[in-house]
Amino acid sequence: MKKLLWLVFILLIAFIILVYFSVSSADKEFETVTIQELDDLESMDFRRHDSVEVAASSLYEANELKDIMQGENYREAWTSPVKVPVLFLDSLYGGIEIVKEGGGTQTHSLRLKDKNGFLYSLRSVNKDPSTHVPEFARSLGLENIVIDAISASHPYGAILAASLSEKAGVLHTHPKVVFVPKQEFLGKQYNEKYGNRLFLLEYETEGEENWTGYKNVYKILDTKNLQELKEENPSQVSIDKNAFVRARLFDMLIGDWDRHAKQWGWVVQKEGNTFKAIPLAGDRDNAFFNLGGVIPGIISNKNIEPEVRPFEKEISHMPGLVYPNDVYFLTNTPVEIFTAEAKKLQDLLTDDAIADAFKVWPKNIAEQNSKEITEKIKSRRDNLVKYAKEFHRIITEKELLNKPLKGSEDIKISPELMKCFECAN
């Protein structure tokens, strides 16, 4: 018995040593872009070039130990050069203005507005997770365990998600990858933070002007403003439940587990005195989330972190993918809507349609990741009716909300409307 205990103790110590060396601090916490074959970035005149070859980041390069302990993830995609257009903001869409800085705690972003009133977002491809590093991890030199997790997100996942959305009939923000060099337009306030970086340029998920193909659009609202509209017009405002169910099932197809209320906009159509809101998915940072390795495997265990779900061939823990906003908007929705939308997605996302969607990726990126991602999408697609029924079942078993949706904490709505969207009717 003593020998067995000693063996367990030795194995535990060995594991701790492996963990320490694999997650020990990197030289940098945040690296935005690596310019290929360019000796002097600061002196480069980018106005002489319409495109540039860049790699998103060299921060996630790893040795064999790190691959085993923290996963291979999408490290190769992050370090592979891709050709992208150079963007100067003073000439974008005939000239734009910077409305404000935005983004979450990890994404650096600028909200832009053109002369016609259309709103856009410039969102960093790489993330800055430094604010999420616990102090104890810093003191032990283990902050890399948080920083390195960004490598599980695909740097170009958002544009593939948009291409697949087009096939699936799911509204999206039309993101495209661009390189923004340092430029006079950014000025001292923004040049250091936003210059010489790789971004996604996409439409905003809110705004006064309609950029979608829908007719009779009143406004594009975020979730909290949609709730306020509902508060003012309780029986006149509804959402397109079929569209929302399809969008949420599509999230599951592409492994996008981060879908809280702030990730959604709503294209609100007005006919007479009635309003119908069509869901608009934003922020595809975690689509195709490829979390591998020993340490992430432990952390993402459904009993430890149920919401962080790896993108595998099968959905292993559906409760982790069901958000409060699902219960809020889809309570009392018949199961037939869930199964019907699942079947529509199966019909739309044929093998040929999926293959065609990957054409938005540079050839080298597609060669690295398309086969594995395609196999996972097809597997999930083939089981989508089963997942749809389970999704519906979990929603029906959840209690109505007793606190505001994420992002709606500062608005005043009735207690009934806080419970569910239809509770105020």
Side-chain angles (χ1 to χ4, degrees):
M1 185 65 179
K2 287 184 178 179
K3 289 183 178 179
L4 179 61
L5 290 174
W6 271 108
L7 179 60
V8 171
F9 178 73
I10 291 170
L11 289 173
L12 179 62
I13 293 298
F15 179 75
I16 291 171
I17 292 171
L18 286 173
V19 169
Y20 185 83
F21 280 107
S22 71
V23 305
S24 57
S25 300
D27 294 333
K28 299 178 182 179
E29 289 187 2
F30 180 43
E31 183 175 285
T32 60
V33 67
T34 302
I35 308 295
Q36 299 296 311
E37 300 178 0
L38 186 59
D39 295 329
D40 192 353
L41 179 64
E42 296 297 326
S43 64
M44 183 71 178
D45 182 7
F46 284 101
R47 288 195 181 271
R48 297 176 58 189
H49 304 271
D50 59 3
S51 62
V52 64
E53 193 173 65
V54 299
S57 178
S58 59
L59 190 62
Y60 309 116
E61 292 177 336
N63 53 31
E64 290 184 9
L65 173 61
K66 196 169 189 177
D67 280 344
I68 294 170
M69 299 303 293
Q70 294 182 255
E72 293 184 17
N73 304 341
Y74 292 118
R75 299 182 190 281
E76 188 178 4
W78 281 98
T79 58
S80 296
V82 296
K83 187 177 181 180
V84 297
V86 174
L87 184 70
F88 283 93
L89 298 174
D90 58 358
S91 58
L92 177 64
Y93 303 130
I96 55 95
E97 63 175 294
I98 298 174
V99 178
K100 66 176 182 178
E101 235 179 330
T105 54
Q106 296 189 44
T107 302
H108 296 166
S109 76
L110 290 175
R111 177 172 292 187
L112 311 174
K113 186 177 183 179
D114 71 14
K115 294 178 178 179
N116 295 315
F118 293 106
L119 291 178
Y120 306 87
S121 181
L122 201 60
R123 304 177 64 254
S124 59
V125 168
N126 208 349
K127 310 303 170 189
D128 181 3
S130 58
T131 58
H132 289 243
V133 179
E135 194 55 44
F136 80 88
R138 290 188 186 279
S139 62
L140 294 174
L142 300 178
E143 53 262 49
N144 187 250
I145 196 170
V146 177
I147 297 163
D148 191 73
I150 300 297
S151 66
S153 299
H154 200 290
Y156 313 112
I159 59 173
L160 176 60
S163 184
L164 286 164
S165 294
E166 200 71 27
K167 307 290 185 183
V170 173
L171 195 58
H172 59 94
T173 56
H174 299 270
K176 54 185 178 182
V177 182
V178 296
F179 176 74
V180 178
K182 288 187 176 181
Q183 52 197 272
E184 188 176 341
F185 184 87
L186 289 171
K188 292 182 179 179
Q189 184 178 1
Y190 299 118
N191 235 340
E192 198 59 40
K193 189 174 180 180
Y194 293 92
N196 293 342
R197 294 185 54 181
L198 205 59
F199 288 90
L200 289 171
L201 176 66
E202 59 190 335
Y203 285 107
E204 263 290 355
T205 52
E206 60 179 302
E208 298 285 335
E209 301 299 326
N210 173 34
W211 51 263
T212 74
Y214 288 99
K215 305 297 183 183
N216 304 318
V217 171
Y218 164 67
K219 286 179 183 179
I220 303 175
L221 302 177
D222 61 14
T223 299
K224 72 173 184 178
N225 288 332
L226 178 65
Q227 289 177 287
E228 290 176 325
L229 181 66
K230 179 74 169 179
E231 179 76 10
E232 297 168 4
N233 308 272
S235 60
Q236 284 81 44
V237 181
S238 63
I239 72 160
D240 186 331
K241 286 191 174 185
N242 286 75
F244 191 50
V245 169
R246 187 189 300 191
R248 289 296 289 119
L249 292 175
F250 178 78
D251 293 338
M252 295 171 191
L253 270 178
I254 65 172
D256 192 348
W257 54 266
D258 189 16
R259 303 310 303 155
H260 57 75
K262 289 184 70 176
Q263 311 282 39
W264 295 92
W266 301 87
V267 179
V268 182
Q269 292 179 303
K270 184 178 182 182
E271 293 188 14
N273 294 323
T274 63
F275 302 85
K276 176 170 280 191
I278 301 159
L280 168 60
D283 190 350
R284 288 298 191 188
D285 291 340
N286 289 308
F288 320 106
F289 194 74
N290 188 29
L291 194 65
V294 175
I295 299 169
I298 295 171
I299 294 173
S300 64
N301 181 280
K302 65 181 182 180
N303 298 311
I304 298 175
E305 188 55 79
E307 289 186 355
V308 180
R309 307 316 313 142
F311 182 48
E312 304 292 350
K313 286 187 177 181
E314 296 183 3
I315 297 176
S316 59
H317 186 59
M318 180 66 76
L321 297 175
V322 180
Y323 274 78
N325 40 291
D326 295 323
V327 179
Y328 184 78
F329 287 111
L330 297 176
T331 289
N332 297 325
T333 303
V335 68
E336 289 79 11
I337 290 181
F338 287 75
T339 55
E341 291 303 326
K343 290 175 182 177
K344 285 181 184 177
L345 281 172
Q346 288 177 325
D347 291 339
L348 290 167
L349 291 173
T350 62
D351 290 359
D352 288 342
I354 293 169
D356 190 62
F358 280 89
K359 291 180 180 178
V360 298
W361 268 1
K363 185 178 179 180
N364 61 332
I365 301 299
E367 287 174 348
Q368 293 168 25
N369 305 129
S370 62
K371 185 175 183 294
E372 182 181 356
I373 291 175
T374 296
E375 289 174 353
K376 291 176 180 179
I377 292 173
K378 288 180 180 179
S379 176
R380 290 185 173 214
R381 176 201 61 192
D382 294 344
N383 291 291
L384 196 57
V385 173
K386 179 183 73 172
Y387 295 144
K389 291 177 180 177
E390 188 179 358
F391 183 37
H392 174 266
R393 178 188 61 79
I394 294 169
I395 289 173
T396 59
E397 293 176 355
K398 295 275 189 180
E399 294 184 357
L400 298 179
L401 274 59
N402 57 15
K403 61 180 181 180
L405 290 170
K406 186 171 183 178
S408 298
E409 296 87 353
D410 61 343
I411 63 173
K412 293 182 179 179
I413 55 176
S414 68
E416 290 302 307
L417 183 54
M418 188 176 72
K419 290 179 183 179
C420 79
F421 197 70
E422 293 183 342
C423 291
N425 286 358

